[in-house]
Structures are given as structure tokens and as C-alpha cells.
């Protein structure tokens, strides 16, 4: 999956900006960059996930709650799309 | 003001474990209950809540910290309301002492507890609260699924991070709506971008940025949230008014009766190390004694109360256990924001030696063990031999102690102290990539385990090292399995898990069975 809604990507970036606690400025992070290499922690992943859920009115299903889902902005956008599809 | 008076013991039925601090001189009529966060949050926050209690004491305010029934050092209970009853019991202690007004402080999940326990007119402080019980549970379950995997329910009990919940317990917490009681002065201290619960819309609100470095990390790297603590203490001090009341000493139970076991508080050695001793009931003067060292900078209960459960099961088997708060942890000593951590430091070796001296247990009845860094402390020889050495998830095989602060400071220059040092530590903990930390940890861990294993073999009648898969890999990498080939009294066991911190119930239960079997086998040979 490569085409993501601009709204999803914007919501994900906003959630990362607010709750990601990354060690690099978000504008420097490309959609496919490794977020864990940028300091993403388990606690931060949950805060980001909850913010994305609020913003997009979705709920990540349990099977998506793993490290792969939070590996990059693209992975998060894929998970958001899947979550929307699973409702 | 005179030194505060501290009282420790048990209170109520089923009993909560409590730590009561009364101001040394005249006190305010306001007494404050510091509600305990659930699970690993409560372990990590322990010293921070102690510091808050000290700060409130300096402002003439009495406090109670506690473990509610069913958690930590309290009596067992599976009552879904026990976490709320624990807070009410703590308030009852303050009223009996002479406080006519009660305040509740709830950090993280404890905000749910504070909100439920507070009545009309009580003072309430919510510190990084969830927006509701349902939101807290959703967050805690998500974090647990990410960290432990989706298979988290075992025997009808759900594993969260360092916390077990039955379905009724989860439902009771999920059902909490955070609403300020009528007429209650309320303060909400939030993280950046964290919403204030709708039911506290009328509260005074403040945003702070020191919660994540305090709570969203391990106990080893947690940074005391000095700014938040000062802010909360000042606000409660303003609510308290003048200190003009003489408070009475609380009437606490000195022992906790548990049927086949009894628990009591001990203060061991010249540094008055706080410990809880669990002994068989009826007592056997010749009972073997297991001295347990916690992992990381955790206090005596261990992850998910693992050490409490182990001690109580062993007591039923006729074995006594002493769970120790080494310096810088739990109830031992004073809490100073700029004190260095003592992980892998000589001070903890000294603490263990002092505890063994104070317990005066002959070597043939002594077992010494610990989890992770506690296993390293337990391995230290000094002058003692022991019948059993028990290492749970050991990870470091260099016997040489580190300087205080070295393990956590890592890149912080030791010549820099005070506020700047804390700032620097903060930045490093937040910014250093995981791979840098791992690389450094590997270097600090040492690569030659031969001296370590020789000491363990020569000072112990039997030595058992129990590994998770990840710890065993490290052991193999340092040549451990080859080294013990010629050491018939050293055994290794690998449990099929990668859960090094023992966060999941399934891991803890497997470890309990392994350790219990090992202790019983050793002392019934």
C-alpha cells in the first residue's frame, strides 16, 4: 500500500509532533524513516496511537499492536487504513 | 521544623501496607493520601512519591503512602474495589491521627483511585491523569500488547505492565469517570498536550514536562520530577493553611498474619536498610533464609509483586525470605534529587553484607539471590559463603563495581553536578539511540565471565542461573556455558521467554515454579 490520504499523513505527523518525543525534528523525518532509530519508545507509541485514533476516529485492532506498525510514518498510515477497513 | 516522624506497618482488614509521615512539629489539619499508581508505574514512581511526602512534611502536612489490599506488601485480596478501599483506609489513618481535612493525590492510574476515594470537600490533585478509566485501560492494554504480545490472558487473569487484573478488577477501573467532588479544591497537573478530564474542567490546571522522564522509563533511568513535586507541594501547602495541630501517632499493625506465613518490617545494619521479612507460621528457628535483591532500582516487591508472591509461597514451604530495599531504593535512607543511582555500585554490595550480618544466618541455611542487577549483587563474594546462589535473569558478569551514577549517567561528565547534571542526564536518556545504549551496556557488561563464575562456584554450595532467552544469549556470548563445564555445582536453566523484566504473569509464574523448586530441592537434600 503506497497511496495514503493526505489527511491521514497530516494527522500522523501531528500526533508524532505532540507525543512522539523523537530525537530529530519531525520535518527532517521522511515517511519511510525508522522511527525507533529516531528515539520512539513503547510509551510514546501508545500515546501517538491514541492521538491518531482520536484524530481519525478509528481504533487500531489488537493484531496491529506490534513494533512493525510503529516502525515508520508509512507503516502507521498503512495501519490507519487497515483499521478503517476493519471497522 | 523538627524531623518528621515516620511509621510503617499494616492497617485495616484486609490490611493495606502503609507508610505514614507526620510533621515533626505542629501540623496542618489537612492530611494527604498519596495514591499508589498501579503496576510498573507504581514501582517506578516509588521514590518520587516519597520525595513528595517529604516536601509536604516540610510544609506541615501529614501523608500516607500505601499498598492497597491485593497489591505490593498488603494482604492478598481480589476484591475489585480494594484499590479504592486502600485509599479510604489511608484517609482513615489520617483522620485518626487528628487531620480534619483530607487531600488525595493521584499520579497516572492513581488519578482514577483519587477521584473515586475523594468525597465532598476533599482536596484533589490529579497528576498526569487519564481522561477516564476506559481510556486508561485502553492505553495500558495497548502498551502491554505492544510489549508482551497479544497473548496476555492467563487463567482468566490479564497481564498489563507489571500488573495483573481479573475481569472484575478491569471493569471496576474502566468504569471510573473522573469527576471533581462538589466543593473540592482541585489541581490538575498535566503533560504537554494531555487533556484535562472533563469532570475537572473547573480545576486549577498546570502543564509540566517532567512526567515522561519520570514515569515512561525503567526505575534505573527514572528522573525525579522535582518541578512537579515542588509545584504540587506548594499548591497543597496553600490549601493547608497554618500548622497548629498536634497529630497523634497512628495505630498500625506491626505484623501481617497470612495463615501459613507472617510478615514483619526489619531495619537492618548501620544504614537501617528497610526490609520485609516473611517467615513460616508456625515459625521454625532453623528455617532456611533467602535474601532477595531486586532488579534495577526497584524496591522490595519486584515486578508485578513477584518477590512478594515468591516469599509468601516459600514461607508456606517452611523457608523464610528477606526482601531488601538497598540504599537509594524504597524506604531506605532519604530521597535526594541529585543523589546518583547505585546500580552495580559497591554500596549495594556493602548493603548486602550488612544485611547478612544483621540477619546472622549460618551459611548452610543461607540462600542469596536476585533479579538482573540484583543477581550481580548476590554474586559478590565479600567474606560470605552460602548454600545457594540464585540468579534470575543475570546480565552482567564483571564483578568489579561501577562508581555511583556510572550505570545511568553514562555520558554525563562526573565533574558536573547539580541541576546541569540532571539536565544532561535527561537529554541523554531521551536522545541517545537505543543501539548506542546497547553497545555501551555490552561494553560495561564485560566480556569475560570466568572470574564471576569462579567466585559463584567457590562461595556457593549450589549456584543456579535462570535465564530468559535473551539473557542466555548474553551468557553464551561471554562463554558462560563452556566455563561452567568444569563447575559441577553451577547449573543453568533457560525459560522459553524474552520477557527479561518479568512483566507478564506467565513468565512470573514459570519463574516462581523454577525458583521455588530450586530452593526446596537445595534445602531438603
Amino acid at each position: 500500500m503506497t497511496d495514503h490520504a493526505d489527511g491521514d499523513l497530516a494527522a500522523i505527523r501531528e500526533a508524532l509532533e505532540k507525543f512522539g518525543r523523537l530525537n530529530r525534528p519531525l520535518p527532517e523525518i521522511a515517511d519511510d524513516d525508522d522511527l525507533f532509530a529516531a528515539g520512539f519508545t513503547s510509551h510514546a507509541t501508545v500515546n501517538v496511537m491514541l492521538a491518531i485514533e482520536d484524530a481519525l476516529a478509528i481504533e487500531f485492532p489488537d493484531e496491529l499492536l506490534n513494533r512493525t506498525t510503529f516502525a515508520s510514518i508509512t507503516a502507521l498510515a498503512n495501519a490507519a487504513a487497515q483499521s478503517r477497513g476493519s471497522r | 521544623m523538627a524531623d518528621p516522624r515516620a511509621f510503617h506497618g499494616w492497617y485495616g482488614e484486609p490490611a493495606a501496607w502503609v507508610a505514614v509521615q507526620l510533621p515533626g512539629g505542629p501540623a496542618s489539619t489537612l492530611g494527604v493520601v498519596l495514591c499508589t499508581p498501579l503496576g510498573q508505574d507504581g514501582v517506578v514512581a516509588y521514590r518520587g512519591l516519597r520525595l513528595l511526602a517529604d516536601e509536604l512534611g516540610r510544609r506541615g502536612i501529614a501523608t500516607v503512602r500505601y499498598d492497597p489490599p491485593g497489591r505490593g506488601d498488603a494482604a492478598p485480596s481480589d476484591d475489585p474495589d480494594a484499590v479504592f478501599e486502600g485509599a479510604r483506609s489511608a484517609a482513615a489513618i489520617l483522620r485518626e491521627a487528628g487531620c480534619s481535612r483530607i487531600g488525595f493525590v493521584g499520579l497516572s492510574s492513581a488519578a482514577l483511585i483519587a477521584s473515586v476515594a475523594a468525597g465532598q470537600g476533599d482536596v484533589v490533585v490529579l497528576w498526569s491523569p487519564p481522561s477516564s478509566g476506559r481510556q486508561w485501560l485502553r492505553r495500558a492494554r495497548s502498551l502491554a500488547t505492544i510489549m508482551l504480545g497479544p497473548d496476555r490472558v492467563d487463567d482468566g487473569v490479564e497481564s498489563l505492565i507489571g500488573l495483573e487484573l481479573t475481569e472484575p478488577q478491569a471493569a471496576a477501573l474502566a468504569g471510573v469517570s473522573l469527576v471533581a467532588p462538589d466543593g473540592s479544591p482541585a489541581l490538575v497537573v498535566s503533560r504537554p498536550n494531555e487533556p484535562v478530564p472533563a469532570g475537572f474542567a473547573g480545576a486549577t490546571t498546570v502543564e509540566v514536562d517532567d512526567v515522561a522522564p519520570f514515569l515512561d522509563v525503567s526505575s534505573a533511568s527514572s528522573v525525579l520530577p522535582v518541578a512537579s513535586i515542588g509545584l504540587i507541594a506548594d499548591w497543597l501547602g496553600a490549601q493547608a493553611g497554618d500548622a497548629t495541630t498536634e497529630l497523634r501517632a497512628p495505630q498500625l499493625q506491626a505484623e501481617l498474619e497470612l495463615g501459613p506465613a507472617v510478615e514483619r518490617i526489619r531495619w537492618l545494619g548501620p544504614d537501617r536498610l528497610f526490609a520485609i521479612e516473611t517467615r513460616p507460621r508456625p515459625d521454625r528457628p532453623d528455617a532456611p533464609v533467602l535474601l532477595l535483591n531486586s532488579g534495577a532500582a526497584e524496591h522490595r516487591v519486584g515486578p508485578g509483586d513477584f518477590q512478594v508472591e515468591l516469599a509468601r509461597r516459600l514461607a508456606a514451604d517452611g523457608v523464610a525470605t528477606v526482601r531488601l530495599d538497598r540504599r537509594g531504593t524504597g524506604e531506605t535512607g532519604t530521597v535526594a534529587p541529585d543523589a546518583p543511582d547505585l546500580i552495580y555500585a559497591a554500596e549495594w554490595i556493602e548493603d548486602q553484607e550488612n544485611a547478612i550480618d544483621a540477619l546472622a544466618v549460618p551459611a548452610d541455611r543461607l540462600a542469596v539471590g536476585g533479579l538482573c542487577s540484583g543477581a550481580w549483587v548476590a554474586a559478590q563474594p565479600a567474606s560470605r559463603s552460602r548454600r545457594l546462589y540464585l540468579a534470575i535473569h543475570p546480565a552482567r558478569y564483571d564483578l568489579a563495581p561501577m562508581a555511583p551514577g556510572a550505570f545511568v549517567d553514562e555520558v554525563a561528565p562526573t565533574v558536573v553536578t547539580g541541576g546541569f547534571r540532571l539536565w544532561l542526564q535527561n537529554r541523554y536518556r531521551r536522545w541517545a539511540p537505543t543501539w548506542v545504549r546497547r553497545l555501551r551496556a555490552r561494553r560495561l557488561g564485560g566480556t569475560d565471565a570466568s572470574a564471576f563464575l569462579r567466585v559463584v562456584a567457590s562461595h556457593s554450595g549450589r549456584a543456579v542461573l535462570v535465564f530468559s532467552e535473551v539473557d542466555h544469549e548474553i551468557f553464551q556470548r561471554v562463554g558462560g556455558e563452556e566455563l561452567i563445564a568444569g563447575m559441577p555445582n553451577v547449573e543453568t536453566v533457560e525459560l522459553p521467554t524474552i520477557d527479561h523484566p518479568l512483566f507478564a504473569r506467565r513468565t512470573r509464574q514459570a519463574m516462581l515454579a523454577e525458583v521455588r523448586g530450586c530452593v526446596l530441592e537445595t534445602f531438603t537434600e
Side-chain angles (χ1 to χ4, degrees):
Chain A
M1 202 178 302
T2 51
D3 295 329
H4 300 111
D6 287 347
D8 285 6
L9 289 172
I12 290 164
R13 283 188 171 272
E14 187 178 350
L16 283 166
E17 185 71 54
K18 284 183 174 174
F19 300 107
R21 296 180 57 78
L22 302 175
N23 58 19
R24 285 164 52 199
L26 197 59
E28 290 178 10
I29 295 178
D31 287 353
D32 292 324
D33 283 359
D34 182 349
L35 292 176
F36 293 107
F40 212 16
T41 65
S42 301
H43 281 84
T45 59
V46 178
N47 293 334
V48 166
M49 181 196 78
L50 293 173
I52 294 169
E53 287 183 342
D54 277 351
L56 301 179
I58 57 172
E59 185 164 313
F60 284 50
D62 270 7
E63 59 266 26
L64 289 181
L65 299 184
N66 56 57
R67 210 174 154 86
T68 312
T69 293
F70 300 94
S72 66
I73 291 170
T74 301
L76 278 164
N78 287 339
Q82 271 183 265
S83 304
R84 192 174 285 118
S86 71
R87 279 191 299 173
Chain B
M1 183 168 284
D3 287 342
R5 295 174 288 160
F7 305 86
H8 299 84
W10 288 268
Y11 181 90
E13 182 56 46
W17 178 87
V18 297
V20 184
Q21 288 179 229
L22 304 184
S28 160
T29 53
L30 175 69
V32 173
V33 176
L34 302 179
C35 298
T36 309
L38 298 165
Q40 192 63 11
D41 280 358
V43 172
V44 174
Y46 199 99
R47 296 285 277 190
L49 292 179
R50 266 199 69 194
L51 183 62
L52 177 55
D54 292 346
E55 288 298 323
L56 291 171
R58 287 188 193 101
R59 290 160 177 80
I61 299 172
T63 57
V64 179
R65 294 172 290 115
Y66 65 96
D67 288 338
R71 309 281 169 204
D73 287 310
S77 170
D78 57 6
D79 181 348
D81 289 326
V83 289
F84 310 118
E85 288 306 319
R88 294 189 184 107
S89 286
I93 292 171
L94 290 168
R95 288 195 186 91
E96 285 175 17
C99 296
S100 56
R101 293 185 302 148
I102 302 296
F104 293 89
V105 175
L107 167 65
S108 183
S109 57
L112 304 172
I113 297 164
S115 171
V116 169
Q120 195 173 359
D122 289 340
V123 178
V124 183
V125 177
L126 304 186
W127 186 5
S128 187
S131 54
S132 68
R134 189 168 303 283
Q135 192 247 13
W136 170 78
L137 191 60
R138 164 86 174 130
R139 187 184 189 287
R141 282 177 167 162
S142 301
L143 182 63
T145 301
I146 291 167
M147 292 179 74
L148 306 176
D151 186 17
R152 298 184 291 103
V153 180
D154 183 33
D155 235 0
V157 181
E158 173 177 15
S159 285
L160 300 178
I161 300 303
L163 175 67
E164 295 180 3
L165 286 183
T166 62
E167 273 186 45
Q169 288 170 336
L173 289 162
V176 175
S177 300
L178 289 154
V179 179
D182 287 344
S184 288
L187 171 69
V188 178
V189 181
S190 302
R191 303 179 190 220
N193 300 308
E194 191 173 55
V196 172
F200 277 78
T204 303
T205 59
V206 185
E207 198 172 272
V208 294
D209 65 0
D210 57 4
V211 177
F214 173 45
L215 216 52
D216 296 354
V217 292
S218 83
S219 62
S221 53
S222 173
V223 180
L224 289 171
V226 177
S228 286
I229 287 170
L231 189 153
I232 292 167
D234 284 344
W235 187 85
L236 284 166
Q239 306 301 315
D242 294 337
T244 55
T245 305
E246 287 299 328
L247 298 180
R248 296 177 289 278
Q251 300 299 308
L252 306 180
Q253 302 162 36
E255 294 185 342
L256 177 66
E257 292 285 352
L258 293 163
V262 62
E263 291 191 334
R264 58 178 71 93
I265 290 163
R266 302 281 306 266
W267 297 90
L268 301 174
D271 291 303
R272 288 182 47 77
L273 306 170
F274 183 91
I276 291 196
E277 180 179 44
T278 310
R279 293 197 67 87
R281 177 75 93 190
D283 204 354
R284 289 174 42 196
D286 62 343
V289 176
L290 169 63
L291 176 63
L292 265 180
N293 290 286
S294 306
E298 294 176 357
H299 67 291
R300 62 202 172 273
V301 301
D305 300 332
F306 168 76
Q307 294 181 176
V308 180
E309 191 170 353
L310 175 62
R312 291 175 181 176
R313 291 221 197 151
L314 285 175
D317 296 326
V319 177
T321 300
V322 175
R323 298 180 284 112
L324 189 65
D325 284 346
R326 295 161 305 206
R327 274 176 282 176
T329 71
E331 293 300 305
T332 293
T334 54
V335 184
D338 58 354
D341 76 276
L342 297 175
I343 297 175
Y344 296 119
E347 281 81 351
W348 280 2
I349 302 171
E350 191 179 282
D351 287 349
Q352 176 175 256
E353 295 309 309
N354 287 336
I356 292 173
D357 278 348
L359 293 169
V361 182
D364 67 334
R365 289 198 283 114
L366 178 65
V368 183
L371 172 63
C372 190
S373 64
W376 177 86
V377 175
Q380 295 293 331
S383 57
R384 305 301 189 294
S385 59
R386 68 290 300 265
R387 178 91 166 263
L388 174 65
Y389 165 69
L390 189 54
I392 300 170
H393 295 177
R396 181 169 189 256
Y397 300 97
D398 183 348
L399 280 171
M402 292 181 183
F407 179 74
V408 173
D409 284 358
E410 300 179 302
V411 294
T414 52
V415 292
V416 182
T417 58
F420 179 68
R421 183 169 169 215
L422 285 175
W423 177 88
L424 197 58
Q425 285 176 15
N426 252 328
R427 300 283 85 74
Y428 178 73
R429 286 172 186 130
R430 183 166 169 196
W431 303 120
T434 305
W435 67 268
V436 169
R437 293 166 174 237
R438 284 194 184 134
L439 194 67
R440 184 165 177 84
R442 200 178 305 151
R443 189 173 69 74
L444 291 167
T447 54
D448 180 6
S450 57
F452 180 98
L453 291 168
R454 271 200 311 275
V455 159
V456 161
S458 62
H459 284 73
S460 315
R462 181 186 185 198
V464 181
L465 291 79
V466 189
F467 299 112
S468 70
E469 291 166 13
V470 280
D471 307 308
H472 201 189
E473 193 182 316
I474 293 170
F475 188 68
Q476 287 170 314
R477 206 181 305 153
V478 298
E481 289 294 351
E482 291 77 24
L483 288 165
I484 63 168
M487 301 175 182
N489 62 334
V490 181
E491 305 155 43
T492 60
V493 179
E494 182 188 302
L495 297 181
T497 178
I498 56 168
D499 179 17
H500 170 86
L502 295 179
F503 281 155
R505 172 184 161 83
R506 193 168 291 142
T507 320
R508 287 195 297 273
Q509 292 300 315
M511 184 60 73
L512 263 172
E514 191 63 45
V515 169
R516 188 176 167 210
C518 173
V519 171
L520 296 183
E521 192 179 86
T522 302
F523 288 101
T524 54
E525 274 170 358

